[in-house]
Amino acid sequence: MLTRLSSAAKEVVIGEGPTVLIGERINPTGKKKLAAALMEGDMDVVRREAIAQVEAGADVLDVNVGVAGLDQVKMLPVALKTVMDAVDVPISIDSNNPEALDAALKLYKGKPLINSITGEEKAMASLLPLVKEYGAAFIALTMDDEGIPTDVDRRVAIAHKIVDRAVSMGIPQEDVIIDCLVMTVATDHTAAAATQEAIRRVRAELGQNVTAGVSNVSFGLPERDVINSTFLALLIGAGVNCPIVDVAKVRPLVLATDMLLSRDEYSARYIKAYRERQKALEAQAAQQAQPT
Amino acid sequence: MLTRLSSAAKEVVIGEGPTVLIGERINPTGKKKLAAALMEGDMDVVRREAIAQVEAGADVLDVNVGVAGLDQVKMLPVALKTVMDAVDVPISIDSNNPEALDAALKLYKGKPLINSITGEEKAMASLLPLVKEYGAAFIALTMDDEGIPTDVDRRVAIAHKIVDRAVSMGIPQEDVIIDCLVMTVATDHTAAAATQEAIRRVRAELGQNVTAGVSNVSFGLPERDVINSTFLALLIGAGVNCPIVDVAKVRPLVLATDMLLSRDEYSARYIKAYRERQKALEAQAAQQAQPT
């Protein structure tokens, strides 16, 4: 099953070949500097993050302006326009505010991803019509009006429900990307395995493409990087093919994982990315060595 | 299926709970210093490697004295005795020389692992009787007189063949640990996925416990550590439960992987190992700060 996203000039296809990386860094959660800049309407940080992530190998960029007190209806389109002007990759418009999404979708050129829609009745009722109207793809979260089920069966059932609802409205099935949700393993030692199992079942039963964010899993634990990167490899092994990640940090690991899952003939992508990183480091070193 | 190994004082059970780590460092392949020491009959390096690996968390130690020109029949028992005197973990006796194995098995206290026996007729005929005689467990390699098959079906068939042969001789089925062999991904981009698939099938069809060494996979490629550690996580996810590894290097990753596969309630093992590493680092720093 192929999900096609596009910017004005570029198409990205999820579901064939290597893992598609959605860059997570344009999101003010936990980022004071970005939050302050967004509050002031200063788009410099957004622009720089967009360019840096695409240079690091992001295939799609997530854009989120969720700061308490900020007018999303006004600022989501501004941030979106900034990113569209700065880079040419498809965008994941990250909001559950219908008016903000509507304003953003109006000016988007291409086929965007909407991140995200839960199985809550209110969310489906208010957001799926926008998906349909603008011909977008969207990320479906496996939670509903009763919260996030710890139970694998119930998460898979919610995935089925959202897909069925979307299809019944005329949204193509391949435009639903599932996020099986990652919970903290320190408070429930079965949580990480449950997510992997839910992902395997969604892939087997529905065939949908699957996304995930990994960092929740290690909340409260020391040396989170080793947990997060190990989990990302396991999730890709389980069927995640478009994770939302800090691209600069995880790309070598994702390239290695793709290579180890038969998706990189002659190790060509892995070696090319390595050489590009080496070249960038050399250029940096040369610049620093120059007299100022 | 549980495989029990033991030293004189300690039992290690493979197949329940967390991953069992077999320490790989007492092996002269590619280690000039160890090779030279073995040639001179100097057991200091062997002793130090044994202690260091157990301190780093090794559950079992592999002992290999394979240096060209060295008398294995004489030296394998000497090295084995050195390790038995230095630490109390079970040992994987690593040789395919029947006389050397016989001499080593004679003096071993407990139930050892023999590493390894292929599906070659000659190997099975000469080595399985030793397994039977001494009540050992052994690692079966999925290769035979025609070499290492690239084909998954044939590797699984060889695993079946060796298990059948062992069982027909009265060796308990659980004492056969399978190694599905790891080939280089740079020369065959399907090689790493084939190994994972063979492991899944061996676990599903036979139920045997499974070991693996990972480092071959990255031969000829840059930044081998990221490939090897990613592969180790994927292999454990596929069913490997007693890999042969450089324990100090990979233990944090293996503990994270076990935690992410529901094998670490309250993240207790992960947190304990982290604290022990911190304490060791602090002790080291304190020692270095002392006036000499």
Side-chain angles (χ1 to χ4, degrees):
Chain A
M1 191 176 290
L2 304 182
T3 310
R4 294 169 189 280
L5 307 176
S6 60
S7 61
K10 198 172 177 179
E11 188 178 64
V12 167
V13 183
I14 300 165
E16 58 172 16
T19 303
V20 166
L21 297 177
I22 304 176
E24 71 181 10
R25 291 187 54 86
I26 302 176
N27 184 329
T29 312
K31 291 201 189 76
K32 280 189 190 167
K33 207 173 133 190
L34 177 57
L38 287 171
M39 284 306 280
E40 290 167 17
D42 171 5
M43 289 294 129
D44 263 8
V45 187
V46 169
R47 187 177 300 111
R48 269 185 280 124
E49 283 289 7
I51 293 168
Q53 289 182 97
V54 171
E55 276 178 358
D59 301 297
V60 175
L61 292 186
D62 191 76
V63 175
N64 180 311
V65 297
V67 184
L70 179 134
D71 180 358
Q72 282 207 37
V73 182
K74 187 179 144 204
M75 291 310 294
L76 187 58
V78 174
L80 184 67
K81 180 86 171 43
T82 303
V83 177
M84 287 167 65
D85 288 346
V87 294
D88 69 349
V89 301
I91 293 175
S92 159
I93 308 176
D94 188 352
S95 173
N96 55 12
N97 177 325
E99 286 169 48
L101 276 174
D102 190 46
L105 288 162
K106 260 196 184 73
L107 66 84
Y108 188 76
K109 304 262 181 278
K111 180 179 169 189
L113 184 63
I114 293 175
N115 179 15
S116 56
I117 304 178
T118 69
E120 293 165 292
E121 282 305 321
K122 200 182 139 192
M124 290 194 292
S126 62
L127 300 173
L128 287 178
L130 288 171
V131 171
K132 168 77 177 156
E133 182 183 347
Y134 291 97
F138 73 99
I139 294 174
L141 302 186
T142 58
M143 58 180 288
D144 63 10
D145 293 285
E146 288 161 47
I148 301 176
T150 49
D151 189 62
V152 171
D153 284 341
R154 290 219 43 238
R155 283 200 224 177
V156 176
I158 296 171
H160 277 274
K161 179 179 79 171
I162 304 176
V163 168
D164 289 348
R165 182 76 65 97
V167 169
S168 76
M169 292 173 61
I171 296 165
Q173 183 174 345
E174 62 268 26
D175 285 340
V176 190
I177 293 174
I178 308 292
D179 182 337
C180 292
L181 297 171
V182 168
M183 311 298 287
T184 303
V185 76
T187 50
D188 173 3
H189 78 285
T190 66
T195 301
Q196 292 167 69
E197 179 59 19
I199 290 164
R200 274 196 198 92
R201 286 193 43 198
V202 163
R203 299 281 299 158
E205 294 175 21
L206 283 161
Q208 304 306 122
N209 290 315
V210 175
T211 186
V214 299
S215 57
N216 272 350
V217 79
S218 60
F219 191 77
L221 290 168
E223 297 187 333
R224 296 182 64 178
D225 275 355
V226 66
I227 305 171
N228 293 350
S229 56
T230 304
F231 196 42
L232 183 54
L234 291 173
L235 289 181
I236 294 173
V240 165
N241 50 16
C242 51
I244 303 183
V245 292
D246 189 336
V247 177
K249 232 178 188 172
V250 305
R251 189 153 185 257
L253 176 121
V254 173
L255 287 166
T257 308
D258 278 343
M259 181 170 71
L260 295 166
L261 295 172
S262 267
R263 298 170 186 166
D264 189 4
E265 210 164 348
Y266 307 111
S267 305
R269 292 181 79 235
Y270 181 84
I271 292 169
K272 181 162 175 266
Y274 168 74
R275 290 198 180 135
E276 284 168 2
R277 279 202 306 281
Q278 291 304 106
K279 220 178 253 181
L281 287 175
E282 281 163 25
Q284 215 179 355
Q287 204 170 25
Q288 283 170 354
Q290 258 174 19
T292 49
Chain B
M1 190 176 291
L2 305 182
T3 309
R4 294 168 190 282
L5 306 177
S6 61
S7 62
K10 197 173 178 178
E11 188 179 64
V12 167
V13 183
I14 300 165
E16 59 174 14
T19 303
V20 167
L21 297 177
I22 305 176
E24 71 180 10
R25 291 186 55 85
I26 303 177
N27 184 328
T29 312
K31 292 200 189 75
K32 280 188 188 168
K33 208 172 133 189
L34 177 56
L38 288 171
M39 284 305 282
E40 289 167 18
D42 170 6
M43 288 295 129
D44 263 8
V45 188
V46 169
R47 187 178 299 110
R48 272 186 278 124
E49 282 289 7
I51 294 167
Q53 288 183 96
V54 171
E55 278 178 357
D59 302 297
V60 175
L61 292 186
D62 192 77
V63 175
N64 180 312
V65 297
V67 183
L70 180 133
D71 180 358
Q72 282 207 35
V73 182
K74 187 179 145 203
M75 292 310 294
L76 186 59
V78 174
L80 184 67
K81 179 87 170 42
T82 304
V83 176
M84 287 167 66
D85 289 346
V87 295
D88 69 349
V89 301
I91 294 174
S92 159
I93 309 177
D94 188 351
S95 173
N96 55 12
N97 177 326
E99 288 169 46
L101 276 174
D102 190 46
L105 287 161
K106 261 196 184 72
L107 66 86
Y108 188 77
K109 304 262 180 279
K111 180 180 169 189
L113 183 63
I114 293 175
N115 181 15
S116 55
I117 304 178
T118 68
E120 294 165 291
E121 281 305 321
K122 199 181 140 191
M124 291 194 292
S126 62
L127 300 174
L128 287 178
L130 290 171
V131 172
K132 169 77 177 157
E133 181 183 348
Y134 290 97
F138 73 98
I139 294 174
L141 304 186
T142 57
M143 58 180 289
D144 62 10
D145 293 284
E146 288 161 48
I148 302 175
T150 49
D151 189 62
V152 171
D153 284 343
R154 289 217 46 234
R155 284 200 223 177
V156 176
I158 295 171
H160 278 274
K161 179 180 79 172
I162 303 176
V163 167
D164 289 349
R165 180 77 65 97
V167 169
S168 76
M169 291 173 62
I171 297 166
Q173 183 174 346
E174 62 268 25
D175 285 340
V176 190
I177 294 174
I178 309 291
D179 182 337
C180 292
L181 297 171
V182 169
M183 311 298 288
T184 303
V185 75
T187 50
D188 173 5
H189 78 284
T190 67
T195 300
Q196 293 169 68
E197 179 59 19
I199 290 164
R200 276 197 198 90
R201 286 193 43 198
V202 163
R203 300 281 298 157
E205 293 174 22
L206 284 160
Q208 304 306 122
N209 291 314
V210 174
T211 186
V214 299
S215 56
N216 273 351
V217 78
S218 60
F219 191 76
L221 289 168
E223 297 187 331
R224 296 183 63 177
D225 276 354
V226 66
I227 304 171
N228 293 350
S229 57
T230 305
F231 196 43
L232 183 54
L234 291 173
L235 289 180
I236 294 172
V240 165
N241 50 17
C242 51
I244 304 184
V245 293
D246 188 337
V247 178
K249 231 177 188 173
V250 305
R251 189 154 183 257
L253 175 122
V254 173
L255 287 165
T257 307
D258 277 345
M259 181 171 72
L260 295 166
L261 295 172
S262 266
R263 298 170 185 166
D264 189 5
E265 210 163 346
Y266 308 112
S267 306
R269 293 182 77 235
Y270 181 85
I271 292 169
K272 182 163 175 267
Y274 168 75
R275 289 197 180 135
E276 284 168 2
R277 279 201 309 280
Q278 291 303 108
K279 220 178 251 181
L281 286 176
E282 281 163 26
Q284 212 180 357
Q287 205 171 23
Q288 282 170 354
Q290 257 174 19
T292 51

